[in-house]
Each structure stands twice: as C-alpha cells, then as structure tokens.
Amino acid sequence: MSVQLGDTAPDFTQESTEGAIHFHDWIGDGWAVLFSHPKDFTPVCTTELGTVARLKPEFDKRNTKVIGLSVDPLKDHEGWARDIAETQGTALNFPLIADADRKVSELYGMIHPNADNTFTVRSVFIVGPDKKVKLTLSYPASTGRNFQELLRVIDSLQLTAKYKVATPADWQDGDDVIITPAVSNEEAKTLFAEKGFTEIKPYLRTTPQPNK
Ligand code: BEZ
C-alpha cells in the first residue's frame, strides 16, 4: 500500500545524522518535508542536499522542518556531509536518516522496484501539523528536484488551510487566488468584504490573496 494524500504519515524511529528521530515527535506542531534520495556520494543528490541546506531559512520561515533519507549507513552520511560542506558552499543543517535496513523506505514506498530494486527514488512527502500527508511526489534518480516548487506548495497549503481559497496554475505568493466552489457568493461577500472578488464564471471566482 502506498502512502496517499490525507493518510496519517506513518510514524517511525530511525537513526539520523542528528541522532534517533521519532518522526511524529520530531515534527512537533509544525510542518515537515521528508524526502528520499537514491544514494550518498552521487552528483545530483549532492546538489540537492546543498540546495536544501541553502533554502533552510525559507523552510524555517514557514515553520517547516526538512529531513532527508537514503538507504546508506550513518558512517557514509557523515563522510558525505563533509563533501557537501566542501562543494556546496554550505554545511548540512538538517538531519539525514540512515535507512540501511529500509524500514522507513518500505513504510513510505520509496523504493520503486521497476525503476531500481536497490535504491530509493526521489520521493517527497509534505506532512501537516495534524500529521496528515499533504503532498507526495516521485522523481526519477536522474532528475534533481525543484525545491522552490516545494516552498510554493507549502505557501499554497498554508494559505488554503487558513482561508476558503485554492491557488491557480502557476500561482506565486502575492498572486490572486480562487474562491473554493463550496463558498456561495453571499458568503464570499462577507469573507472577502475588504478586497472583494471577481466572478469570471459562477464556478471561477478570484480574490486578492487574503494574507497580503
Ligand atoms: C545522482 O544523484 O547523481 C544519481 C543517483 C543515482 C542514480 C543516478 C544519479
């Protein structure tokens, strides 16, 4: 069974570069991004971890913790972390799970045997404060992920958790948003009284981003 949107993120305890991680306790009452990469000491993975380390202040701003994972042992993670510091202009500043026994990888379906029987693919799980899975992504080993896109999704998730809105295609923070269909025009007049809304079609209504 794969982990699907709306599921409670499977809880686990596993070793990491920052000691044992008890996943739900570690998340606390904020948000989390759990992402797997195929293998230590590989080029695309090295750039990904450097990128996430550089973006850490952006995740912090969003009350979101990040945690990486591969099926390599802790000793390899520690050696590789030195290479990341040397080559990426930043030290690793978030934990890397050492999932050598595949406990977490199997729990989350991060190994896709028809792609590679040995290593995890590039999976991403965004987990909310309620410990529910809000996003899943699977990228192939050969394609490094766009972590700006993950920040954009977190912005959208946090906005839609608070207001009765959704975000349109290619939305960026500050753009107009969409009023969800469950909201009547009468309710919309009250909810979005300050900024108003535009009815393009009865099912397509936009309003300026409420928290801007
Ligand atoms: C990489 O991170 O560069 C990589 C890892 C596994 C397979 C292909 C590329």
Side-chain angles (χ1 to χ4, degrees):
M1 264 296 280
S2 60
V3 175
Q4 297 186 328
L5 302 191
D7 291 354
T8 298
D11 200 12
F12 59 82
T13 297
Q14 187 60 294
E15 282 310 312
S16 87
T17 49
E18 297 187 9
I21 298 285
H22 309 286
F23 190 52
H24 284 196
D25 292 345
W26 176 83
I27 294 173
D29 54 13
W31 295 67
V33 177
L34 167 64
F35 69 102
S36 59
H37 60 270
K39 195 166 171 43
D40 293 3
F41 303 106
T42 52
V44 178
C45 298
T46 302
T47 62
E48 285 198 326
L49 294 207
T51 297
V52 175
R54 278 190 299 278
L55 286 175
K56 175 82 169 14
E58 291 299 320
F59 287 103
D60 289 345
K61 256 195 243 169
R62 292 160 174 83
N63 192 26
T64 301
K65 291 181 174 177
V66 285
I67 188 162
L69 173 150
S70 71
V71 293
D72 298 284
L74 194 55
K75 186 168 60 63
D76 284 4
H77 280 358
E78 287 165 354
W80 188 37
R82 288 191 285 277
D83 287 1
I84 291 168
E86 182 189 326
T87 63
Q88 300 300 303
T90 174
L92 210 57
N93 50 14
F94 57 90
L96 268 191
I97 293 169
D99 197 38
D101 62 3
R102 298 174 161 215
K103 181 167 68 182
V104 181
S105 317
E106 284 173 4
L107 205 51
Y108 278 79
M110 291 164 165
I111 295 173
H112 296 195
N114 292 325
D116 191 305
N117 210 5
T118 314
F119 304 124
T120 42
V121 297
R122 299 189 193 279
S123 297
V124 183
F125 299 86
I126 297 182
V127 181
D130 56 0
K131 312 295 183 292
K132 300 285 186 198
V133 175
K134 309 295 183 185
L135 167 138
T136 65
L137 272 181
S138 302
Y139 269 42
S142 52
T143 305
R145 285 157 287 197
N146 182 335
F147 291 92
Q148 294 287 350
E149 169 63 2
L150 293 187
L151 290 169
R152 190 188 77 91
V153 174
I154 293 167
D155 284 340
S156 170
L157 287 168
Q158 294 184 346
L159 188 68
T160 62
K162 194 159 178 195
Y163 304 96
K164 291 181 175 176
V165 297
T167 57
D170 295 335
W171 173 84
Q172 296 290 338
D173 190 41
D175 289 351
D176 284 357
V177 298
I178 286 171
I179 299 172
T180 49
V183 175
S184 68
N185 275 352
E186 278 315 299
E187 194 187 353
K189 280 178 198 157
T190 313
L191 285 176
F192 307 106
E194 193 190 323
K195 295 177 179 169
F197 67 95
T198 305
E199 183 174 340
I200 301 160
K201 290 279 182 191
Y203 59 85
L204 177 56
R205 297 162 301 166
T206 61
T207 186
Q209 187 173 322
N211 62 348
K212 284 286 163 182

